[in-house]
Amino acid sequence: MTTLSFISAFLAAFALSGACAYFASRRRVKFIRKPPAPRHIMSNALEYRLSMGPRVVAIGGGTGLSTLLSGLKGFTRNITAVVAVTDEGGSSGRLRQEWGVLPPGDIRNCIVALAENGSALTSLLNYRFDRGELKGHSLGNIIILAATELMGDFQRAVLELNKLLAIRGQVLPVTTENVVLKGRTADGNIVTGELQVSDNGSRLTELWIEPSDAEPVDPVIAAFGDADVIVLGPGSHFTSVMPNLLLPGVAKLLKEATAPIVYIANLMTQPKETEGMNILSHIDWIAGVLGRVPDYVLANESAVPAEFISRYGKIGAEPLYLSAKEENYLESLGSKVIYGDYCEIRNGKYLRHNAQNLSETIMEISRTRQKGLG
């Protein structure tokens, strides 16, 4: 596909997005029976409230991070999503291999999650081609690739898309270096790449990235310094959360951070990647890299419906709950455990975190710490 084609796709996407917004607004006007409160007053009040929200840095990748962001954007505009760049599967993996670009998929998902008009952008940027040379690629990934080609820099391309889509916050790659995830299993085998690591996660004894001295981008460093609260997860433990922490610069910043670090425990174990692991095992890996435990651990206490336990159990996934003994141990290390109704059923098919409830808890943690009560 030529660069001109990418530019055309890029412009067409934004033209279509604008058209969707226009016709949607026309439909809304049609059904108005009486003049509403002045929109500019409502909009200004909302913008002011969001602009005064806490500065949240959320670290991860994949579905878990984008789910959380969709909730956080209702409470604050001061969000920085720090996204792992080790993805090598699907469309992202193909673009990484063929074009040498950093994987755009998780970046795309997070941008969509923080966009003002998430529903329209979701259908547009997540559109996946089903034939020809573009088969399997999403339009959003192609747009990010086009922007990178035009600007000659992945970080600049992502920052420009942040602005063009007027998202509530910013989405950043943790680094612009072409890092590779590697690990060692209990029997001494070396596994290379996200896919192999995921397939052997529960057998890992060591995890690292190459090059080992990869550095975080400057805006990520600045975001950590300004943060009111730092959130780890939810998401795939070894392939979404840990890759960010393995950068020495990130680990150092988190170890020395004065802002509270909040870890969101996953709802279920992940087949192969975290089979047989409990929440403490997840936190042990984090503490081993950071040299500290999270200040808060958010754990789901709502029951997972039996039909989902059965369905997920067939692929090797089990619910993750904290026992009283595990809670006491964590609190003896300095972690405060907060339980909540953090589980919901999405589209009648999938277990997902309840982004609204998680975000409310994170906001309360921020308020508590600002008052000096935490």
Side-chain angles (χ1 to χ4, degrees), residues 307-372:
E307 63 178 290
F308 284 88
I309 293 178
S310 175
R311 183 189 306 174
Y312 277 74
K314 292 176 181 178
I315 59 173
E318 299 177 343
L320 281 168
Y321 294 107
L322 269 177
S323 67
K325 181 178 180 180
E326 292 169 337
E327 177 186 352
N328 291 336
Y329 176 68
L330 279 173
E331 298 209 337
S332 73
L333 298 177
S335 286
K336 182 176 181 179
V337 177
I338 299 177
Y339 295 99
D341 181 9
Y342 298 135
C343 178
E344 68 177 9
I345 309 301
R346 188 75 55 82
N347 299 327
K349 299 179 180 179
Y350 309 106
L351 286 177
R352 292 289 185 264
H353 279 86
N354 186 309
Q356 177 75 16
N357 292 351
L358 283 176
S359 299
E360 288 176 356
T361 301
I362 292 167
M363 293 302 108
E364 183 59 32
I365 289 172
S366 177
R367 286 191 292 268
T368 300
R369 294 294 289 230
Q370 288 176 356
K371 294 177 181 177

Short mmCIF file of all heavy atoms in Angstrom, two decimals, residues 307-372:
data_model
loop_
_atom_site.label_atom_id
_atom_site.label_comp_id
_atom_site.label_asym_id
_atom_site.label_seq_id
_atom_site.Cartn_x
_atom_site.Cartn_y
_atom_site.Cartn_z
N GLU A 307 -22.51 -19.55 35.34
CA GLU A 307 -22.36 -19.90 33.92
C GLU A 307 -21.04 -19.38 33.35
O GLU A 307 -20.43 -20.01 32.48
CB GLU A 307 -23.53 -19.35 33.11
CG GLU A 307 -23.63 -17.84 33.10
CD GLU A 307 -24.78 -17.34 32.24
OE1 GLU A 307 -24.68 -17.46 31.01
OE2 GLU A 307 -25.77 -16.84 32.81
N PHE A 308 -20.57 -18.24 33.87
CA PHE A 308 -19.30 -17.70 33.39
C PHE A 308 -18.12 -18.43 34.02
O PHE A 308 -17.09 -18.59 33.37
CB PHE A 308 -19.23 -16.19 33.67
CG PHE A 308 -20.06 -15.38 32.75
CD1 PHE A 308 -21.40 -15.11 33.03
CD2 PHE A 308 -19.55 -14.90 31.56
CE1 PHE A 308 -22.18 -14.38 32.17
CE2 PHE A 308 -20.32 -14.17 30.68
CZ PHE A 308 -21.64 -13.90 30.98
N ILE A 309 -18.27 -18.87 35.25
CA ILE A 309 -17.22 -19.69 35.86
C ILE A 309 -17.03 -20.96 35.05
O ILE A 309 -15.91 -21.40 34.76
CB ILE A 309 -17.55 -20.02 37.33
CG1 ILE A 309 -17.51 -18.74 38.18
CG2 ILE A 309 -16.58 -21.06 37.89
CD1 ILE A 309 -17.88 -18.96 39.63
N SER A 310 -18.16 -21.56 34.64
CA SER A 310 -18.10 -22.78 33.84
C SER A 310 -17.50 -22.51 32.47
O SER A 310 -16.63 -23.25 32.00
CB SER A 310 -19.51 -23.36 33.70
OG SER A 310 -19.51 -24.48 32.84
N ARG A 311 -17.96 -21.43 31.82
CA ARG A 311 -17.48 -21.12 30.48
C ARG A 311 -16.00 -20.80 30.47
O ARG A 311 -15.24 -21.32 29.65
CB ARG A 311 -18.28 -19.95 29.91
CG ARG A 311 -17.91 -19.58 28.48
CD ARG A 311 -18.57 -18.29 28.05
NE ARG A 311 -20.02 -18.32 28.23
CZ ARG A 311 -20.80 -17.26 28.03
NH1 ARG A 311 -20.25 -16.09 27.69
NH2 ARG A 311 -22.10 -17.34 28.19
N TYR A 312 -15.57 -19.94 31.39
CA TYR A 312 -14.16 -19.56 31.44
C TYR A 312 -13.30 -20.73 31.94
O TYR A 312 -12.14 -20.87 31.56
CB TYR A 312 -13.97 -18.34 32.34
CG TYR A 312 -14.25 -17.02 31.65
CD1 TYR A 312 -15.55 -16.62 31.36
CD2 TYR A 312 -13.22 -16.18 31.27
CE1 TYR A 312 -15.82 -15.42 30.73
CE2 TYR A 312 -13.46 -14.96 30.64
CZ TYR A 312 -14.77 -14.59 30.37
OH TYR A 312 -15.02 -13.39 29.72
N GLY A 313 -13.89 -21.57 32.80
CA GLY A 313 -13.15 -22.71 33.32
C GLY A 313 -12.74 -23.68 32.23
O GLY A 313 -11.71 -24.36 32.35
N LYS A 314 -13.52 -23.75 31.17
CA LYS A 314 -13.20 -24.66 30.07
C LYS A 314 -11.92 -24.27 29.34
O LYS A 314 -11.31 -25.10 28.67
CB LYS A 314 -14.37 -24.72 29.09
CG LYS A 314 -15.61 -25.39 29.66
CD LYS A 314 -16.78 -25.33 28.67
CE LYS A 314 -18.02 -25.98 29.27
NZ LYS A 314 -19.19 -25.90 28.35
N ILE A 315 -11.52 -23.01 29.46
CA ILE A 315 -10.28 -22.57 28.82
C ILE A 315 -9.17 -22.35 29.86
O ILE A 315 -8.11 -21.78 29.54
CB ILE A 315 -10.49 -21.30 27.98
CG1 ILE A 315 -11.03 -20.15 28.85
CG2 ILE A 315 -11.44 -21.59 26.82
CD1 ILE A 315 -11.10 -18.82 28.10
N GLY A 316 -9.44 -22.75 31.10
CA GLY A 316 -8.40 -22.67 32.13
C GLY A 316 -8.36 -21.41 32.94
O GLY A 316 -7.34 -21.11 33.59
N ALA A 317 -9.44 -20.62 32.94
CA ALA A 317 -9.48 -19.37 33.71
C ALA A 317 -10.34 -19.55 34.96
O ALA A 317 -11.40 -20.18 34.91
CB ALA A 317 -10.04 -18.24 32.85
N GLU A 318 -9.88 -18.99 36.07
CA GLU A 318 -10.59 -19.09 37.34
C GLU A 318 -10.72 -17.72 37.99
O GLU A 318 -9.86 -16.85 37.79
CB GLU A 318 -9.84 -20.03 38.30
CG GLU A 318 -9.69 -21.45 37.78
CD GLU A 318 -8.89 -22.31 38.74
OE1 GLU A 318 -8.20 -21.72 39.62
OE2 GLU A 318 -8.94 -23.54 38.63
N PRO A 319 -11.79 -17.50 38.79
CA PRO A 319 -11.95 -16.20 39.47
C PRO A 319 -10.80 -15.92 40.44
O PRO A 319 -10.24 -16.84 41.05
CB PRO A 319 -13.28 -16.36 40.22
CG PRO A 319 -13.99 -17.47 39.54
CD PRO A 319 -12.92 -18.41 39.05
N LEU A 320 -10.48 -14.64 40.57
CA LEU A 320 -9.44 -14.22 41.49
C LEU A 320 -10.07 -13.46 42.66
O LEU A 320 -10.67 -12.40 42.46
CB LEU A 320 -8.43 -13.31 40.78
CG LEU A 320 -7.37 -14.00 39.92
CD1 LEU A 320 -6.63 -12.99 39.06
CD2 LEU A 320 -6.39 -14.78 40.78
N TYR A 321 -9.95 -14.03 43.84
CA TYR A 321 -10.43 -13.38 45.07
C TYR A 321 -9.31 -13.40 46.10
O TYR A 321 -8.43 -14.27 46.08
CB TYR A 321 -11.65 -14.12 45.63
CG TYR A 321 -12.89 -14.05 44.77
CD1 TYR A 321 -13.33 -15.16 44.06
CD2 TYR A 321 -13.63 -12.87 44.67
CE1 TYR A 321 -14.47 -15.10 43.27
CE2 TYR A 321 -14.77 -12.80 43.89
CZ TYR A 321 -15.19 -13.92 43.19
OH TYR A 321 -16.32 -13.85 42.42
N LEU A 322 -9.36 -12.44 47.01
CA LEU A 322 -8.41 -12.41 48.12
C LEU A 322 -9.00 -13.11 49.34
O LEU A 322 -10.15 -12.87 49.70
CB LEU A 322 -8.08 -10.97 48.51
CG LEU A 322 -6.89 -10.28 47.84
CD1 LEU A 322 -6.81 -8.84 48.32
CD2 LEU A 322 -5.59 -11.01 48.09
N SER A 323 -8.21 -13.96 49.97
CA SER A 323 -8.64 -14.57 51.23
C SER A 323 -8.29 -13.62 52.37
O SER A 323 -7.51 -12.67 52.21
CB SER A 323 -7.92 -15.90 51.44
OG SER A 323 -6.53 -15.70 51.65
N ALA A 324 -8.87 -13.85 53.53
CA ALA A 324 -8.57 -13.01 54.70
C ALA A 324 -7.09 -13.08 55.05
O ALA A 324 -6.48 -12.07 55.43
CB ALA A 324 -9.43 -13.46 55.88
N LYS A 325 -6.50 -14.26 54.91
CA LYS A 325 -5.08 -14.44 55.22
C LYS A 325 -4.22 -13.62 54.26
O LYS A 325 -3.25 -12.95 54.68
CB LYS A 325 -4.70 -15.92 55.11
CG LYS A 325 -3.26 -16.21 55.45
CD LYS A 325 -2.97 -17.71 55.37
CE LYS A 325 -1.52 -18.01 55.71
NZ LYS A 325 -1.24 -19.47 55.64
N GLU A 326 -4.58 -13.63 52.99
CA GLU A 326 -3.83 -12.86 51.99
C GLU A 326 -3.99 -11.36 52.23
O GLU A 326 -3.03 -10.59 52.10
CB GLU A 326 -4.30 -13.24 50.58
CG GLU A 326 -3.93 -14.65 50.17
CD GLU A 326 -4.63 -15.09 48.90
OE1 GLU A 326 -5.70 -14.52 48.57
OE2 GLU A 326 -4.13 -16.02 48.25
N GLU A 327 -5.20 -10.96 52.61
CA GLU A 327 -5.43 -9.54 52.91
C GLU A 327 -4.57 -9.09 54.08
O GLU A 327 -3.93 -8.03 54.03
CB GLU A 327 -6.91 -9.31 53.22
CG GLU A 327 -7.21 -7.86 53.61
CD GLU A 327 -8.63 -7.66 54.05
OE1 GLU A 327 -9.46 -8.59 53.92
OE2 GLU A 327 -8.94 -6.56 54.56
N ASN A 328 -4.54 -9.88 55.13
CA ASN A 328 -3.72 -9.53 56.30
C ASN A 328 -2.24 -9.43 55.94
O ASN A 328 -1.54 -8.54 56.44
CB ASN A 328 -3.93 -10.56 57.41
CG ASN A 328 -5.33 -10.50 58.01
OD1 ASN A 328 -5.99 -9.47 57.94
ND2 ASN A 328 -5.78 -11.61 58.59
N TYR A 329 -1.80 -10.34 55.09
CA TYR A 329 -0.40 -10.32 54.68
C TYR A 329 -0.08 -9.04 53.90
O TYR A 329 0.94 -8.37 54.16
CB TYR A 329 -0.07 -11.55 53.84
CG TYR A 329 1.34 -11.57 53.31
CD1 TYR A 329 2.43 -11.72 54.16
CD2 TYR A 329 1.60 -11.40 51.95
CE1 TYR A 329 3.73 -11.73 53.68
CE2 TYR A 329 2.88 -11.40 51.45
CZ TYR A 329 3.95 -11.56 52.32
OH TYR A 329 5.23 -11.56 51.82
N LEU A 330 -0.95 -8.69 52.97
CA LEU A 330 -0.73 -7.48 52.18
C LEU A 330 -0.71 -6.24 53.06
O LEU A 330 0.14 -5.35 52.89
CB LEU A 330 -1.83 -7.34 51.12
CG LEU A 330 -1.67 -8.17 49.85
CD1 LEU A 330 -2.91 -8.06 48.98
CD2 LEU A 330 -0.44 -7.73 49.07
N GLU A 331 -1.63 -6.18 54.00
CA GLU A 331 -1.69 -5.00 54.87
C GLU A 331 -0.49 -4.94 55.81
O GLU A 331 -0.06 -3.85 56.19
CB GLU A 331 -3.01 -4.98 55.63
CG GLU A 331 -4.21 -4.89 54.68
CD GLU A 331 -5.41 -4.20 55.29
OE1 GLU A 331 -5.51 -4.17 56.53
OE2 GLU A 331 -6.25 -3.69 54.51
N SER A 332 0.09 -6.10 56.14
CA SER A 332 1.30 -6.10 56.96
C SER A 332 2.49 -5.53 56.18
O SER A 332 3.46 -5.04 56.77
CB SER A 332 1.63 -7.53 57.43
OG SER A 332 2.12 -8.32 56.36
N LEU A 333 2.41 -5.59 54.83
CA LEU A 333 3.46 -5.03 53.98
C LEU A 333 3.25 -3.56 53.67
O LEU A 333 4.12 -2.91 53.10
CB LEU A 333 3.54 -5.82 52.67
CG LEU A 333 3.91 -7.31 52.76
CD1 LEU A 333 3.87 -7.94 51.37
CD2 LEU A 333 5.28 -7.49 53.38
N GLY A 334 2.07 -3.05 54.02
CA GLY A 334 1.79 -1.64 53.78
C GLY A 334 0.78 -1.37 52.70
O GLY A 334 0.54 -0.20 52.34
N SER A 335 0.15 -2.42 52.15
CA SER A 335 -0.89 -2.25 51.14
C SER A 335 -2.26 -2.23 51.80
O SER A 335 -2.56 -3.11 52.62
CB SER A 335 -0.85 -3.38 50.11
OG SER A 335 0.22 -3.25 49.23
N LYS A 336 -3.08 -1.27 51.43
CA LYS A 336 -4.45 -1.23 51.92
C LYS A 336 -5.36 -1.87 50.88
O LYS A 336 -5.35 -1.48 49.71
CB LYS A 336 -4.90 0.21 52.17
CG LYS A 336 -6.31 0.32 52.73
CD LYS A 336 -6.67 1.75 53.06
CE LYS A 336 -8.08 1.84 53.64
NZ LYS A 336 -8.44 3.23 54.00
N VAL A 337 -6.12 -2.86 51.29
CA VAL A 337 -7.01 -3.57 50.37
C VAL A 337 -8.38 -2.91 50.38
O VAL A 337 -8.95 -2.65 51.45
CB VAL A 337 -7.13 -5.05 50.76
CG1 VAL A 337 -8.13 -5.76 49.84
CG2 VAL A 337 -5.77 -5.74 50.69
N ILE A 338 -8.91 -2.64 49.20
CA ILE A 338 -10.25 -2.09 49.05
C ILE A 338 -11.06 -3.05 48.18
O ILE A 338 -10.67 -3.36 47.05
CB ILE A 338 -10.23 -0.69 48.40
CG1 ILE A 338 -9.42 0.28 49.26
CG2 ILE A 338 -11.64 -0.17 48.18
CD1 ILE A 338 -9.30 1.67 48.67
N TYR A 339 -12.17 -3.51 48.73
CA TYR A 339 -13.05 -4.41 47.99
C TYR A 339 -14.18 -3.62 47.36
O TYR A 339 -14.61 -2.59 47.88
CB TYR A 339 -13.64 -5.48 48.92
CG TYR A 339 -12.63 -6.42 49.50
CD1 TYR A 339 -12.13 -6.23 50.79
CD2 TYR A 339 -12.17 -7.51 48.77
CE1 TYR A 339 -11.20 -7.10 51.33
CE2 TYR A 339 -11.25 -8.38 49.29
CZ TYR A 339 -10.76 -8.18 50.57
OH TYR A 339 -9.83 -9.04 51.11
N GLY A 340 -14.67 -4.12 46.23
CA GLY A 340 -15.79 -3.45 45.58
C GLY A 340 -16.47 -4.35 44.57
O GLY A 340 -15.99 -5.44 44.26
N ASP A 341 -17.58 -3.85 44.09
CA ASP A 341 -18.32 -4.56 43.04
C ASP A 341 -17.69 -4.15 41.71
O ASP A 341 -18.18 -3.27 41.01
CB ASP A 341 -19.80 -4.16 43.09
CG ASP A 341 -20.63 -4.86 42.04
OD1 ASP A 341 -20.10 -5.79 41.39
OD2 ASP A 341 -21.80 -4.48 41.85
N TYR A 342 -16.61 -4.81 41.35
CA TYR A 342 -15.82 -4.40 40.20
C TYR A 342 -16.02 -5.28 38.98
O TYR A 342 -15.27 -5.15 38.00
CB TYR A 342 -14.33 -4.38 40.58
CG TYR A 342 -14.00 -3.41 41.68
CD1 TYR A 342 -13.16 -3.77 42.74
CD2 TYR A 342 -14.51 -2.11 41.67
CE1 TYR A 342 -12.85 -2.88 43.75
CE2 TYR A 342 -14.21 -1.21 42.68
CZ TYR A 342 -13.37 -1.59 43.72
OH TYR A 342 -13.06 -0.70 44.72
N CYS A 343 -16.99 -6.14 39.00
CA CYS A 343 -17.22 -7.08 37.90
C CYS A 343 -18.56 -6.79 37.22
O CYS A 343 -19.55 -6.50 37.90
CB CYS A 343 -17.19 -8.52 38.43
SG CYS A 343 -17.52 -9.77 37.19
N GLU A 344 -18.58 -6.85 35.91
CA GLU A 344 -19.83 -6.71 35.17
C GLU A 344 -19.79 -7.61 33.94
O GLU A 344 -18.72 -8.02 33.48
CB GLU A 344 -20.09 -5.27 34.77
CG GLU A 344 -19.14 -4.72 33.73
CD GLU A 344 -19.51 -3.29 33.33
OE1 GLU A 344 -20.39 -2.69 33.97
OE2 GLU A 344 -18.92 -2.78 32.35
N ILE A 345 -20.97 -7.89 33.40
CA ILE A 345 -21.09 -8.69 32.19
C ILE A 345 -21.27 -7.74 31.01
O ILE A 345 -22.17 -6.91 31.02
CB ILE A 345 -22.30 -9.66 32.26
CG1 ILE A 345 -22.26 -10.47 33.56
CG2 ILE A 345 -22.30 -10.58 31.05
CD1 ILE A 345 -21.03 -11.29 33.75
N ARG A 346 -20.41 -7.85 30.02
CA ARG A 346 -20.47 -6.97 28.86
C ARG A 346 -21.09 -7.71 27.68
O ARG A 346 -20.61 -8.78 27.29
CB ARG A 346 -19.05 -6.51 28.51
CG ARG A 346 -18.95 -5.44 27.44
CD ARG A 346 -19.35 -4.08 27.94
NE ARG A 346 -18.61 -3.67 29.10
CZ ARG A 346 -17.39 -3.12 29.09
NH1 ARG A 346 -16.77 -2.96 27.93
NH2 ARG A 346 -16.79 -2.74 30.20
N ASN A 347 -22.13 -7.11 27.11
CA ASN A 347 -22.80 -7.67 25.93
C ASN A 347 -23.31 -9.10 26.16
O ASN A 347 -23.48 -9.86 25.21
CB ASN A 347 -21.88 -7.66 24.72
CG ASN A 347 -21.45 -6.26 24.32
OD1 ASN A 347 -22.21 -5.30 24.47
ND2 ASN A 347 -20.24 -6.13 23.83
N GLY A 348 -23.53 -9.44 27.43
CA GLY A 348 -24.03 -10.76 27.75
C GLY A 348 -23.05 -11.88 27.51
O GLY A 348 -23.38 -13.06 27.67
N LYS A 349 -21.80 -11.53 27.16
CA LYS A 349 -20.83 -12.56 26.77
C LYS A 349 -19.52 -12.54 27.56
O LYS A 349 -18.91 -13.59 27.77
CB LYS A 349 -20.47 -12.39 25.28
CG LYS A 349 -21.63 -12.54 24.32
CD LYS A 349 -21.15 -12.32 22.89
CE LYS A 349 -22.27 -12.47 21.89
NZ LYS A 349 -21.82 -12.23 20.49
N TYR A 350 -19.09 -11.36 27.97
CA TYR A 350 -17.74 -11.23 28.51
C TYR A 350 -17.74 -10.65 29.92
O TYR A 350 -18.54 -9.78 30.25
CB TYR A 350 -16.89 -10.32 27.62
CG TYR A 350 -16.91 -10.70 26.16
CD1 TYR A 350 -17.62 -9.92 25.24
CD2 TYR A 350 -16.24 -11.82 25.70
CE1 TYR A 350 -17.66 -10.26 23.89
CE2 TYR A 350 -16.27 -12.17 24.35
CZ TYR A 350 -16.98 -11.39 23.45
OH TYR A 350 -17.02 -11.72 22.13
N LEU A 351 -16.82 -11.13 30.73
CA LEU A 351 -16.56 -10.53 32.03
C LEU A 351 -15.63 -9.35 31.84
O LEU A 351 -14.58 -9.49 31.21
CB LEU A 351 -15.91 -11.55 32.98
CG LEU A 351 -16.78 -12.66 33.56
CD1 LEU A 351 -15.90 -13.58 34.41
CD2 LEU A 351 -17.90 -12.09 34.40
N ARG A 352 -16.00 -8.23 32.37
CA ARG A 352 -15.16 -7.05 32.30
C ARG A 352 -15.19 -6.33 33.64
O ARG A 352 -16.12 -6.50 34.43
CB ARG A 352 -15.65 -6.09 31.19
CG ARG A 352 -15.48 -6.62 29.79
CD ARG A 352 -14.03 -6.66 29.36
NE ARG A 352 -13.88 -7.07 27.97
CZ ARG A 352 -13.61 -8.31 27.58
NH1 ARG A 352 -13.50 -9.27 28.49
NH2 ARG A 352 -13.46 -8.60 26.30
N HIS A 353 -14.19 -5.51 33.89
CA HIS A 353 -14.21 -4.67 35.08
C HIS A 353 -15.29 -3.60 34.93
O HIS A 353 -15.54 -3.10 33.83
CB HIS A 353 -12.86 -4.00 35.29
CG HIS A 353 -11.84 -4.88 35.94
ND1 HIS A 353 -11.04 -5.74 35.23
CD2 HIS A 353 -11.52 -5.05 37.25
CE1 HIS A 353 -10.24 -6.39 36.07
NE2 HIS A 353 -10.51 -5.99 37.29
N ASN A 354 -15.91 -3.27 36.04
CA ASN A 354 -16.88 -2.18 36.08
C ASN A 354 -16.10 -0.87 36.18
O ASN A 354 -15.63 -0.49 37.25
CB ASN A 354 -17.83 -2.35 37.27
CG ASN A 354 -18.94 -1.33 37.28
OD1 ASN A 354 -18.69 -0.14 37.17
ND2 ASN A 354 -20.17 -1.80 37.41
N ALA A 355 -15.95 -0.20 35.05
CA ALA A 355 -15.11 0.99 34.97
C ALA A 355 -15.62 2.11 35.85
O ALA A 355 -14.84 2.88 36.42
CB ALA A 355 -14.99 1.44 33.52
N GLN A 356 -16.94 2.25 35.96
CA GLN A 356 -17.52 3.31 36.79
C GLN A 356 -17.16 3.11 38.25
O GLN A 356 -16.69 4.05 38.92
CB GLN A 356 -19.04 3.31 36.61
CG GLN A 356 -19.78 4.33 37.47
CD GLN A 356 -19.63 5.75 36.96
OE1 GLN A 356 -19.22 5.97 35.81
NE2 GLN A 356 -19.97 6.71 37.79
N ASN A 357 -17.33 1.90 38.76
CA ASN A 357 -17.05 1.65 40.17
C ASN A 357 -15.56 1.75 40.47
O ASN A 357 -15.16 2.27 41.52
CB ASN A 357 -17.57 0.27 40.57
CG ASN A 357 -19.09 0.20 40.57
OD1 ASN A 357 -19.77 1.21 40.42
ND2 ASN A 357 -19.64 -1.00 40.72
N LEU A 358 -14.73 1.26 39.57
CA LEU A 358 -13.28 1.40 39.75
C LEU A 358 -12.89 2.87 39.80
O LEU A 358 -12.10 3.30 40.67
CB LEU A 358 -12.53 0.71 38.61
CG LEU A 358 -12.40 -0.80 38.62
CD1 LEU A 358 -11.70 -1.28 37.36
CD2 LEU A 358 -11.64 -1.29 39.86
N SER A 359 -13.43 3.65 38.88
CA SER A 359 -13.07 5.07 38.80
C SER A 359 -13.51 5.83 40.05
O SER A 359 -12.79 6.70 40.56
CB SER A 359 -13.70 5.70 37.56
OG SER A 359 -13.22 5.07 36.39
N GLU A 360 -14.69 5.50 40.57
CA GLU A 360 -15.15 6.14 41.80
C GLU A 360 -14.20 5.84 42.96
O GLU A 360 -13.91 6.73 43.77
CB GLU A 360 -16.57 5.67 42.12
CG GLU A 360 -17.63 6.24 41.19
CD GLU A 360 -19.02 5.69 41.47
OE1 GLU A 360 -19.14 4.82 42.36
OE2 GLU A 360 -19.98 6.14 40.82
N THR A 361 -13.73 4.60 43.04
CA THR A 361 -12.78 4.25 44.10
C THR A 361 -11.48 5.01 43.95
O THR A 361 -10.91 5.52 44.93
CB THR A 361 -12.51 2.73 44.09
OG1 THR A 361 -13.73 2.02 44.29
CG2 THR A 361 -11.52 2.35 45.19
N ILE A 362 -10.98 5.10 42.71
CA ILE A 362 -9.73 5.82 42.46
C ILE A 362 -9.88 7.30 42.81
O ILE A 362 -8.97 7.91 43.39
CB ILE A 362 -9.30 5.63 40.99
CG1 ILE A 362 -8.89 4.17 40.75
CG2 ILE A 362 -8.13 6.56 40.63
CD1 ILE A 362 -8.74 3.79 39.30
N MET A 363 -11.02 7.89 42.48
CA MET A 363 -11.25 9.29 42.83
C MET A 363 -11.27 9.48 44.35
O MET A 363 -10.73 10.46 44.87
CB MET A 363 -12.58 9.78 42.24
CG MET A 363 -12.63 9.85 40.72
SD MET A 363 -11.37 10.92 39.98
CE MET A 363 -10.29 9.67 39.24
N GLU A 364 -11.88 8.53 45.06
CA GLU A 364 -11.93 8.61 46.52
C GLU A 364 -10.53 8.48 47.13
O GLU A 364 -10.19 9.18 48.09
CB GLU A 364 -12.86 7.53 47.08
CG GLU A 364 -13.04 7.59 48.58
CD GLU A 364 -13.60 8.92 49.07
OE1 GLU A 364 -14.41 9.54 48.32
OE2 GLU A 364 -13.24 9.33 50.18
N ILE A 365 -9.72 7.61 46.56
CA ILE A 365 -8.33 7.48 47.03
C ILE A 365 -7.60 8.80 46.85
O ILE A 365 -6.88 9.27 47.75
CB ILE A 365 -7.61 6.35 46.27
CG1 ILE A 365 -8.15 4.99 46.71
CG2 ILE A 365 -6.09 6.42 46.50
CD1 ILE A 365 -7.63 3.83 45.88
N SER A 366 -7.78 9.42 45.70
CA SER A 366 -7.12 10.69 45.43
C SER A 366 -7.58 11.77 46.40
O SER A 366 -6.76 12.52 46.96
CB SER A 366 -7.41 11.13 43.98
OG SER A 366 -6.85 12.39 43.72
N ARG A 367 -8.89 11.85 46.64
CA ARG A 367 -9.40 12.85 47.58
C ARG A 367 -8.88 12.62 48.99
O ARG A 367 -8.50 13.56 49.70
CB ARG A 367 -10.94 12.83 47.58
CG ARG A 367 -11.57 13.45 46.35
CD ARG A 367 -13.07 13.63 46.54
NE ARG A 367 -13.77 12.35 46.61
CZ ARG A 367 -14.30 11.75 45.55
NH1 ARG A 367 -14.21 12.30 44.35
NH2 ARG A 367 -14.93 10.60 45.69
N THR A 368 -8.84 11.35 49.40
CA THR A 368 -8.37 11.01 50.74
C THR A 368 -6.91 11.40 50.92
O THR A 368 -6.52 11.96 51.95
CB THR A 368 -8.55 9.51 51.01
OG1 THR A 368 -9.94 9.18 50.91
CG2 THR A 368 -8.04 9.13 52.39
N ARG A 369 -6.10 11.09 49.91
CA ARG A 369 -4.67 11.42 50.01
C ARG A 369 -4.44 12.92 50.01
O ARG A 369 -3.56 13.44 50.70
CB ARG A 369 -3.92 10.76 48.85
CG ARG A 369 -3.92 9.26 48.89
CD ARG A 369 -3.13 8.72 50.07
NE ARG A 369 -1.72 8.92 49.90
CZ ARG A 369 -0.80 7.97 50.06
NH1 ARG A 369 -1.17 6.74 50.39
NH2 ARG A 369 0.48 8.22 49.93
N GLN A 370 -5.23 13.65 49.21
CA GLN A 370 -5.06 15.11 49.16
C GLN A 370 -5.42 15.75 50.50
O GLN A 370 -4.86 16.79 50.87
CB GLN A 370 -5.93 15.70 48.05
CG GLN A 370 -5.41 15.39 46.65
CD GLN A 370 -6.32 15.90 45.57
OE1 GLN A 370 -7.40 16.44 45.82
NE2 GLN A 370 -5.91 15.75 44.32
N LYS A 371 -6.35 15.12 51.25
CA LYS A 371 -6.71 15.64 52.57
C LYS A 371 -5.76 15.15 53.65
O LYS A 371 -5.89 15.54 54.81
CB LYS A 371 -8.13 15.17 52.92
CG LYS A 371 -9.22 15.78 52.03
CD LYS A 371 -10.59 15.21 52.39
CE LYS A 371 -11.67 15.79 51.48
NZ LYS A 371 -13.00 15.18 51.79
N GLY A 372 -4.80 14.30 53.24
CA GLY A 372 -3.83 13.80 54.21
C GLY A 372 -4.37 12.76 55.15
O GLY A 372 -3.83 12.54 56.24
#
